Amino acid sequence: MAIRSFFVPFLLFGLYFYSSLSPVLSLYEDQVGLMDWHQQYIGKVKQAVFSTQKTGRRRVIVSTEENVIASLDLRHGEIFWRHLLGSDDVIDGIDIGLGKYVITLSSGGSILRSWNLPDGQMVWESYLQGPKHSKSFLLVPTNLKIEKDSVIVVFSNGRLHAVSCIDGEVLWKKDFEAESFEVQQVIKPPGSDLIYVVGFAASSQFEMYQINGRNGELLKHESTTFSSGFLGEVSLVSSETVVALDSTGSILLTISFQNGEISFQQTPISNLYEHFSGPAIIIPSSVPGIFAIKTNAITIFIRVIGEGMLEVAEKTNHETAISDSLPLSEGQQAFALIQHAGSEIHLAVKLAHDWDGNLLKESIKMNQQRGLVHKVFINNYIRTDKSHGFRVLIVMEDHSLLLLQQGTIVWSREDGLASIIDVTTSELPVERDGVSVAKVEHNLFEWLKGHMLKLKGTLMLASPEDVALIQSMRLKSSEKSKMTRDHNGFRKLLIVLTRAGKLFALHTGDGHIVWSHLLRSLHKSEPCQSPIGLNLYQWQVPHHHAMDENPSVLVVSRCGPSSDAPGVLSFIDTYTGNELSSLSLAHAVAQVIPLPYTDSTEQRLHLLIDSDKHAHLYPKTSEALSIFKREFSNIYWYSVEGHNGIIKGHALKYECTGKVADEFCFDTRELWSVVFPSESEKIIATVTRKLNEVVHTQAKVIADQDVMYKYISKNLLFVVTVAPKGCGEIGSVTPEESWLVAYLIDTVTGRILHRVTHHGAQGPVHAVFSENWVVYHYFNLRAHRYELSVIELYDQSRADNKDVWKLVLGKHNLTSPISLFSRPEVITKSQSYFFTHSVKAIAVTSTAKGITSKQLLIGTIGDQVLALDKRFLDPRRSVNPTQAEKEEGIIPLTDSLPIIPQSYVTHALRVEGLRGIITVPAKLESTTLVFAHGVDLFFTQLAPSRTYDSLTEDFNYALLLITIVALVAAIFVTWRLSERKELQEKWR
Amino acid sequence: MASIARLLLLVLLSTALTVSSGSGYGYTINGRVKIPQGLGTAGLVLPGKMSNIKVILNGGQIVSYLRPDGYFSFQNIPAGTHLIEVAAIGYFFSPVRVDVSARNPGKVQAALTENRRGLSELVLEPLRDEKYYEIREPFSIMNVVKSPMGLMVGFMLVVVFLMPKLVENMDPEEMRRAQEEMRNQGVPSLASLLPGGGRN
């Protein structure tokens, strides 16, 4: 009997072993959303047009700075449809034609497209060419018809076009060939067929063309000279009057061109506002009878009364935003005005001719983290009592989009997340005793019920309702979105920096925003005119002896687009999102080097290199300095000067010899430089290994029990240069005049370890460097296909350490010092394969200990992310691998890499506008976390060698429990049976 | 099935002009994306929405969308060899190499780069459907038996019903010795923990 029961624990062990090996090849359709999440965004809205027809759903059509056109649900803010246009195809204007087409003008006014409003299907596309580059305008008049055809009026590239709304055919066109004519406005007064084109010529001449909208005939051309010239934009105050500023910015010009006669009216701004000083600018708007100018911090609204008479309507020093006008009934025009006052915004809707009366006045509490209102769009609806109601769409400084109606925020969209600049991760707080934790399972009964349902699902006995219940249970499992650290390291915070200068913390479990913070240091201020965020670094990662500190990140930003603008540092607590401190630097930030040293509070030492090649140490503490001094001679770095093709290596020299003694500033010296001949090579890509990458083993056991040693160095730089002619697009060069050279350079010594030339190849190059290999993607012009190449580096100097006796007797060279003077004996192996798609980004999976095999994550042109096993890119692949090699797992060589649809980690989703892929190791060795960002965000967990160290998500505990119970019962029964049998035997 | 559909399509298609010299500078590439209807759509994850299909020239230089009838065009293209890719969820398209010749405009030169098949007209069809999900196998008794639990129960049954037979055939002396040995080794077994476990 003992033998029988002895088997039970053994069996259980076997069971665990077996189940952990069960393959998880890819995703089943019902597993979507369990471990991944996908968020869709559109970017900062540039222009919005409302479509509020009586029938159909209410929508708003928007165009954004991410070059998206989208149709949003006005009720909830969800996306109905969305198209991302090409990066060179910038949207200039959008409108709605005939109530059912969305008209977009893009590419500097040369492409006009029409999209079906309900589903976003493109209807037609029209190319508009013209004699010269100019501003472009899109007008969709409601009443202009040519032979029953509705007309779109487009001014672009110095030519006026009338395009049919139905099929995109150009009905007539008129050139404006005057050399210096700069168009400022194209006006179509309602109620007539005339089109006015007004603009400046030769900087001091005002020109007006009157055109017949039916056939493009030029009816009148008038011009007047104004000696002191014009500045900037004009504001349209009526269909026959514009307001401009003179070139000094201090005199307002009211230009009216009624009946084709041009008349000027000059009004110095100081007449209207006595404290006026300095130039003013006109805020572009199109409210009849009113325009706004801005001088210093004051916004002045000015009314136009009668014949060019001006009158100040309101002066304000609050931040304001004004919408375009919205026609109400009987020629009345309304507009919306938003003013900031502390933590509130005041929304006023006024009639254009009645500044003092408000149609609507509301105050709305606004989250300070959203910043200022940048744009306002107004729309009206008829209430049940026939009065007008207004809804207002506002675009905030952090690029979010909000709909205001009846004094509340109806919905908001965090569209700042569409333009992520940099990403880093942070751990969540450790779960402490007493900290209340969201109840995972309510009670045992609920738990069992859940698992019984799952069991039913497994046995395919579940009814459709049950299936739906199971699915919803799995998706909203509160376990994955808890705010504490988990044992497997799946729950983390993704800290993302957006172009708007806002920092978000996203939870990896379900992607919700934990906190967001608009960086004060990235706010426009006097000393810092146009701040831009650059990078995120992990500043403090407490783990050992500083457990009580919260982790923090460093945001490096710069006061302007040029590389010698002064830098700004901000330190943000990642648990709370509070800005701990910020530093305005006196020097620029050209390069940030996180050093592998931390002080006693686990703050990481960072070296900032400025544009004068001085190195500055942060944090500025004496402790950091003493640590730094100890490692002074071991610090090397490199810089890449792409424009003149030089790579330089640097080391530290001594303290700065500036006027002010600064012990945290160091002079540097140049150690080496690699100069590429500018007539034949141009640097297009440089890649290094990730600093925090973990390599598990240096040796690689190959077939026939042989060992190869990987050449693993953190100081390797992979550089790709191309022929200067081949820098352009595909198709611009012939294979003979294009080549691509790949280098591997040691960044401490400047030694070129490997160099390979690909003739007839061309960029763009995307590369990834990991362990001892680099994989790069480029275009092969001869085959006219993309290729992926792999280079692997092996250390030959250790090759003879295989003799056990040598190791035992200590005659190996494993501990011999590495010298700069000795040439490393490196051998390289490489191979190339065809790859079908264009690539937008390429990354590699990373795991906690580096044991798990690697997968390449390739962001394809279709905005999907493909996982490709590194085994497919093994230079030891051959056409006919030997038996031993096959056992080792070498795949027979094929000329192209396979694309298996099931290995798309984004499955049937698109990460629209994909820009980057980030991988973060989980604590569980088998698993890596993948975050892909573009206009959309996508996150998932990936197990490149399957989850060999944990049970899969769909493991059925109930079934296990039932089996165990059954086994125990069976043991009892058999035991009873055998006892009875024994007794009978004894009686015999 | 696929080949028949493709054949039908080729017959049905009218002459789609491919490359024509545009006005001014550059050339125009016109083409058409054709998704076979009814072919494999039953098992498809997402029915390919025409409005979301993009046609991409030279790895992102120009992105174009399809008209309702599947036609697309690229304008102002310089002479040379270009690459056209089609991005459509649910379908695998081969990139197409298109030669725009400066000498004889209007000449069609297009070939799929995946299989080097020449195209007489620039009509792009998916090479195959892409299914992104594994298909759940329908319930069968064999799956349950093969599952870890099934194997465990199976093994259990074997032990329960076959082991006694084996034990019966064993010499009682030997049996007793084996049991004695096990007890002496002190292997913790469930039986010894059970009431009366020590007695047998």
Side-chain angles (χ1 to χ4, degrees), chain A residues 424-484:
Chain A
T424 187
T425 54
S426 164
E427 293 291 342
L428 281 158
V430 184
E431 198 174 305
R432 291 198 186 86
D433 295 336
V435 173
S436 90
V437 173
K439 283 208 180 74
V440 181
E441 319 285 359
H442 310 286
N443 53 42
L444 189 71
F445 177 69
E446 290 280 309
W447 183 84
L448 258 175
K449 209 172 101 186
H451 277 290
M452 282 310 289
L453 265 175
K454 262 195 193 174
L455 180 65
K456 263 170 111 181
T458 324
L459 298 175
M460 307 265 171
L461 297 170
S463 60
E465 297 92 73
D466 286 346
V467 171
L469 199 63
I470 296 168
Q471 193 65 7
S472 68
M473 218 166 56
R474 291 159 86 185
L475 285 177
K476 67 168 189 262
S477 145
S478 55
E479 181 73 28
K480 66 178 186 182
S481 55
K482 268 207 293 191
M483 286 304 301
T484 52

Side-chain angles (χ1 to χ4, degrees), chain A residues 531-553:
Chain A
I532 33 174
L534 293 177
N535 288 103
L536 275 175
Y537 296 92
Q538 294 192 333
W539 179 252
Q540 196 178 15
V541 187
H543 55 280
H544 283 131
H545 36 267
M547 264 334 235
D548 295 334
E549 305 262 343
N550 287 2
S552 54
V553 290

